[in-house]
């Protein structure tokens, strides 16, 4: 993982870039030192570092055999041992990785984003697997589902925590629990409750964000947003559906009906951030709704509609927002637009870092694999935030190269791939 592998035909190194190489190496050593205390045995520690190295490599599939080959092992025994029987605490490692990730990307307007993603499976032995909603296809599939927490700022975004969602059919089946090694202390929890666990863990570690964002799965769960308001007085922007019940004054309403009552003057054209084609502009409106005695905070229903298709109701998105009373609608639009960051995290983790390539079936194995993938992404995201300004300076002093900026070259520059 310390070796630098650079294709001179793709990358032209200036003095600034060469100087940055030392910083990249130091960042890697620092990251390993942060994780080392959580592995009591040298063999497990080195196996974990090798595993992260393989996840960062250009190996197409990060399964047991290919990871073993990448790190020079004759068979996947050490990989299997690391994920199953080796003595190390994945929860403590994940907490340290989370701390490292937040430190590397920290900004005052930071965001914790919650979302779930699925993992297709063919059999029925993997912990938590059953036919359930699979977001990628929008259909019911035989899959596992994980709920993840991401950290998003202007410097970058990365996954920082994970929980396996396991349905009631697993939680209530003692035989399945035993075979998958599920701890007796683990009880059934909804996806929103798993999100709450991860946020509470971050708060307990002293990590608070300016905002929490999530989609309808969490916005439609009153227990979740009520907990954010009353336990943490935590500002949030949560997507809700058109039937979201609210109270305005003494009158109960539904979100869709409130939206239909808006006058043209209540809509504002605002950007929710930069996209691949420039500013992502929509029309936005909001209405204050009852939220009890919340001091300096206010709860709103917020509406977003397309500039091109204003009338069709299916082109309207609905949000419930809780924030200080002086928060502008423009700020809310910007926060809502940043939720895509966790989708980018999933895309990168699945396509480049092996998030979905695991072959383990047990509770322990799933959480250990996810922890190490998150570690790889946290390191990569922090490294990018640290050195990308130097790379941009170096590029401005170098001939333009078509491949500079690609993920493959980015990792190659940092010695994260080997041929």
């Amino acid at each position: 993982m310390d070796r630098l592998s650079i294709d001179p035909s793709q990358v032209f190194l200036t003095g600034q870039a060469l100087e940055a190489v030392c910083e990249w190496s130091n960042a890697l050593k620092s990251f390993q030192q942060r994780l080392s205390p959580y592995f009591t045995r040298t063999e497990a520690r080195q196996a974990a570092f090798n595993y992260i190295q393989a996840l960062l490599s250009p190996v197409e599939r990060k399964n047991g055999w290919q990871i073993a080959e990448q790190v020079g092992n004759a068979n996947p025994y050490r990989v299997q041992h690391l994920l199953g029987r080796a003595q190390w605490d994945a929860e403590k490692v994940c907490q340290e990785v989370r701390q490292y990730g937040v430190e590397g990307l920290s900004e005052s307007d930071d965001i914790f984003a919650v979302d779930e993603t699925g993992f297709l499976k063919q059999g029925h032995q993997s912990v938590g697997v059953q036919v359930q909603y699979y977001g990628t296809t929008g259909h019911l599939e035989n899959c596992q589902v994980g709920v993840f927490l991401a950290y998003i700022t202007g410097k970058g975004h990365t996954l920082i925590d994970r929980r396996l969602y396991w349905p009631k059919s697993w939680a209530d089946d003692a035989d399945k629990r035993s075979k998958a090694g599920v701890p007796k202390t683990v009880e059934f929890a909804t996806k929103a409750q798993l999100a709450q666990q991860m946020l509470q863990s971050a708060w307990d570690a002293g990590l608070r964000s300016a905002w929490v964002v999530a989609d309808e799965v969490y916005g439609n769960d009153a227990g979740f947003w009520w907990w954010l308001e009353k336990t943490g007085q935590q500002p949030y922007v949560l997507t809700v559906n058109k039937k979201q019940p609210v109270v305005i004054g003494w009158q109960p309403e539904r979100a869709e009906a409130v939206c239909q009552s808006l006058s043209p003057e209540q809509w504002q054209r605002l950007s929710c951030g930069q996209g691949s084609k420039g500013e992502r502009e929509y029309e936005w409106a909001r209405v204050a709704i009852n939220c009890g005695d919340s001091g300096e905070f206010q709860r709103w229903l917020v509406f977003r509609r397309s500039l091109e298709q204003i009338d069709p109701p299916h082109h309207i998105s609905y949000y419930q927002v809780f924030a200080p009373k002086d928060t502008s609608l423009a700020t809310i639009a910007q926060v809502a637009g940043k939720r895509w960051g966790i989708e980018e995290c999933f895309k990168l983790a699945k396509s480049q870092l092996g998030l979905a390539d695991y072959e383990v079936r047990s509770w322990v194995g799933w959480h250990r694999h996810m922890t190490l993938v998150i570690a790889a992404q946290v390191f990569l995201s922090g490294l990018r935030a640290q050195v990308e300004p130097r790379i941009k300076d170096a590029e401005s002093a170098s001939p333009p190269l078509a491949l500079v900026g690609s993920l493959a070259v980015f990792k190659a520059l940092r010695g994260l791939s080997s041929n």
Side-chain angles (χ1 to χ4, degrees):
M1 203 167 177
D2 290 325
R3 291 178 295 175
L4 186 65
S5 176
I6 299 175
D7 182 349
S9 68
Q10 296 182 353
V11 182
F12 181 85
L13 290 179
T14 68
Q16 285 180 303
L18 288 171
E19 182 181 344
V21 169
C22 293
E23 293 189 23
W24 304 334
S25 177
N26 291 338
L28 176 59
K29 291 176 182 177
S30 173
F31 185 61
Q32 291 177 336
Q33 289 171 357
R34 290 279 292 265
L35 301 186
S36 290
Y38 303 100
F39 299 89
T40 56
R41 296 182 62 86
T42 303
E43 295 85 350
R45 179 168 63 249
Q46 190 58 54
F49 293 162
N50 287 344
Y51 196 91
I52 294 172
Q53 172 188 357
L55 294 174
L56 290 165
S57 77
V59 172
E60 187 173 353
R61 266 186 65 80
K62 274 76 173 181
N63 56 30
W65 273 103
Q66 293 199 31
I67 286 179
E69 291 176 0
Q70 178 65 23
V71 301
N73 295 337
N75 56 58
Y77 172 76
R78 290 183 182 178
V79 172
Q80 294 166 352
H81 183 72
L82 171 71
L83 298 181
R85 298 175 297 278
Q87 296 298 307
W88 61 284
D89 191 331
E91 292 306 313
K92 291 183 178 179
V93 171
C94 194
Q95 291 167 13
E96 187 63 43
V97 167
R98 178 186 62 195
Q99 184 74 35
Y100 185 94
V102 171
E103 289 173 4
L105 301 179
S106 180
E107 287 186 334
S108 59
D109 57 350
D110 53 358
I111 295 172
F112 282 152
V114 178
D115 203 356
E116 72 277 355
T117 190
F119 307 94
L120 289 175
K121 295 295 171 183
Q122 294 183 342
H124 302 282
Q125 302 303 312
S126 298
V127 60
V129 69
Q130 76 165 28
V131 175
Q132 53 191 322
Y133 180 76
Y134 181 63
T136 303
T137 63
H139 301 297
L140 296 178
E141 306 279 1
N142 191 60
C143 65
Q144 293 171 301
V145 174
V147 180
F148 291 80
L149 182 68
Y151 186 62
I152 301 171
T153 72
K155 294 180 181 178
H157 39 266
T158 181
L159 301 175
I160 56 172
D161 204 353
R162 74 288 176 266
R163 294 289 189 279
L164 176 66
Y165 171 75
W166 57 314
K168 288 281 289 182
S169 62
W170 275 82
D172 297 337
D173 191 318
D175 184 55
K176 283 185 174 181
R177 291 180 63 119
S178 177
K179 288 180 179 178
V182 180
K184 294 181 179 179
T185 55
V186 176
E187 300 179 350
F188 171 77
T190 66
K191 294 171 185 176
Q193 288 169 337
L194 294 175
Q196 184 174 319
Q197 291 174 17
M198 291 187 288
L199 288 167
Q200 185 66 63
S201 176
W203 293 354
D204 290 345
L207 304 176
R208 297 297 297 254
S209 61
W211 296 91
V212 168
V213 298
D215 67 12
E216 286 186 32
V217 172
Y218 311 90
N220 292 339
D221 189 313
F224 179 64
W225 53 257
W226 185 263
W227 174 80
L228 288 174
E229 293 180 9
K230 301 306 177 184
T231 303
Q233 205 168 41
Q234 172 67 60
Y236 63 71
V237 177
L238 305 178
T239 307
V240 296
N241 65 35
K242 64 183 181 181
K243 296 182 180 180
Q244 179 78 352
V246 299
V247 177
I248 301 175
W250 297 98
Q251 185 66 36
E253 300 277 3
R254 298 282 182 177
E256 185 178 34
V258 176
C259 183
Q260 291 171 349
S261 70
L262 295 172
S263 67
E265 293 75 23
Q266 289 179 274
W267 293 92
Q268 301 179 42
R269 182 169 178 167
L270 298 168
S271 169
C272 61
Q274 282 281 342
S276 59
K277 299 180 181 180
E279 294 290 339
R280 293 179 292 149
E281 292 188 325
Y282 297 88
E283 286 197 335
W284 297 78
R286 66 174 172 180
V287 174
I289 58 178
N290 292 15
C291 62
D293 183 14
S294 297
E296 296 303 313
F297 284 75
Q298 177 62 56
R299 193 188 299 158
W300 292 278
L301 270 181
V302 175
F303 313 94
R304 187 197 76 186
R305 68 184 183 185
S306 168
L307 297 177
E308 291 76 24
Q309 298 174 324
I310 293 177
D311 294 330
H314 58 276
H315 288 289
I316 296 177
S317 297
Y318 302 84
Y319 304 89
Q320 182 167 296
V321 176
F322 179 77
K325 293 179 179 178
D326 60 355
T327 304
S328 68
L329 183 56
T331 295
I332 292 170
Q334 287 285 324
V335 173
K338 290 180 180 178
R339 198 191 71 80
W340 67 268
I342 193 169
E343 303 293 346
E344 288 288 309
C345 289
F346 289 147
K347 182 178 179 180
L348 172 64
K350 286 188 174 183
S351 65
Q352 300 288 335
L353 302 177
L355 187 74
D357 293 347
Y358 59 93
E359 297 172 324
V360 293
R361 294 180 173 179
S362 70
W363 176 271
V364 169
W366 189 92
H367 285 87
R368 287 185 171 186
H369 171 76
M370 295 301 166
T371 296
L372 296 175
V373 173
I374 290 173
Q377 188 172 77
V378 160
F379 174 71
L380 199 60
S381 299
L383 192 58
R384 182 185 292 273
Q386 177 183 344
V387 305
E388 200 153 62
R390 286 181 175 270
I391 295 298
K392 289 180 179 178
D393 289 343
E395 287 176 359
S396 66
S398 307
L401 295 167
L403 294 178
V404 171
S406 72
L407 179 64
V409 174
F410 179 83
K411 291 196 294 185
L413 274 170
R414 291 148 181 77
L416 301 178
S417 62
S418 57
N419 299 322

